């Protein structure tokens, strides 16, 4: 079945450590996204990528980094520069063909807790 | 600037009662609109979407939504809720083929 996988489901990190969240999709989508979700704040866009080897900052990119070396993969690194990294992180993908709605498909999420 | 407003943070309805969740958007062009549902600790699942044409759209799990351009609204409805409908619901508008703006969500609780 086609879909998006995120791993791990739960992640614990000590302060000052970098950590990388995995996101893989087999939907053959060009565009991929990372969102951060905090209680009562909905989804906030961290980074997005419309094509391999290219990505753009979203609304809250500070303290995060990404790479897009393969179409299927869009890992997110939460660096020690992120002041409040404890949150639920969601990865999504969509086709970016012209005239298409841009409906996004979501992975199951990773809950990151900083100890 | 584009935006999506969900004015109700939390709604409680009795099982079997009807439901309407409100959504207002701000977008200059013809919008692509979505409703997503999220169960606790899970990703988002698409309930329905509006691109063009008939302003009343049907979705999964018995949900429907009506696009009203004059009111800039896209309210979600269900005639009779089930306990399994308890979740968080997000309205969203696509600003381009590659970006979506989400509302802050409405948490739905079901009273037995």
């Amino acid at each position: 079945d086609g879909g998006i996988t995120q791993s791990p489901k739960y992640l614990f990190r000590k302060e000052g450590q970098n950590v990388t969240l995995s996101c893989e999709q087999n939907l053959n989508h060009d565009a991929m996204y990372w969102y951060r979700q905090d209680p009562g704040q909905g989804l906030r866009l961290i980074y997005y990528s419309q094509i391999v080897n290219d990505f753009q900052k979203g609304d809250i990119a500070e303290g995060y980094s990404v790479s897009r070396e393969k179409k299927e993969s869009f890992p997110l690194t939460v660096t020690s520069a992120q002041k409040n990294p404890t949150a639920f992180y969601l990865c999504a993908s969509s086709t970016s063909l012209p005239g298409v709605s841009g409906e996004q498909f979501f992975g199951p999420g990773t809950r990151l807790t900083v100890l | 600037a584009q935006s999506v407003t969900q004015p109700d943070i939390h709604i409680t309805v009795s099982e079997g009662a009807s439901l309407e969740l409100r959504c207002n958007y701000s977008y200059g062009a013809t919008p692509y609109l979505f409703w997503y549902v999220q169960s606790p600790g899970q990703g988002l699942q698409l309930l329905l979407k509006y691109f063009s044409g008939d302003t009343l759209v049907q979705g999964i799990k018995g949900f429907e939504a009506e696009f009203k351009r004059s009111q800039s609204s896209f309210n979600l409805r269900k005639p009779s809720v089930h306990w399994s409908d308890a979740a968080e619901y997000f309205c969203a508008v696509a600003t381009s083929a590659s970006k979506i703006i989400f509302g802050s969500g409405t948490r739905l609780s079901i009273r037995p």
Side-chain angles (χ1 to χ4, degrees), chain A residues 12-102:
Chain A
F12 298 89
R13 187 195 93 175
K14 293 182 179 179
E15 281 193 30
Q17 289 181 337
N18 292 354
V19 64
T20 298
L21 282 59
S22 169
C23 177
E24 303 278 333
Q25 55 98 1
N26 60 3
L27 299 168
N28 199 33
H29 285 166
D30 290 310
M32 296 187 74
Y33 312 80
W34 275 105
Y35 292 93
R36 172 180 171 139
Q37 187 177 26
D38 297 282
Q41 295 195 43
L43 278 70
R44 293 184 289 170
L45 183 64
I46 304 172
Y47 269 98
Y48 66 104
S49 168
Q50 295 180 265
I51 197 169
V52 174
N53 293 322
D54 186 44
F55 48 83
Q56 288 79 40
K57 293 181 178 180
D59 301 319
I60 56 165
E62 184 176 353
Y64 300 97
S65 66
V66 293
S67 62
R68 187 84 187 277
E69 297 177 0
K70 298 186 301 181
K71 187 175 185 177
E72 302 80 16
S73 179
F74 191 41
L76 173 74
T77 296
V78 184
T79 75
S80 56
Q82 169 51 236
K83 298 303 180 188
N84 184 21
T86 295
F88 190 53
Y89 291 88
L90 287 161
C91 179
S93 71
S94 72
T95 180
S96 58
L97 294 174
V100 178
S101 71

Side-chain angles (χ1 to χ4, degrees), chain B residues 4 23 32-36 74 90-94 100-103:
Chain B
V4 178
C23 173
Y32 291 151
L33 295 161
F34 309 90
W35 274 100
Y36 285 86
F74 189 56
F90 292 93
C91 181
V93 60
I100 290 181
I101 295 176
F102 289 86

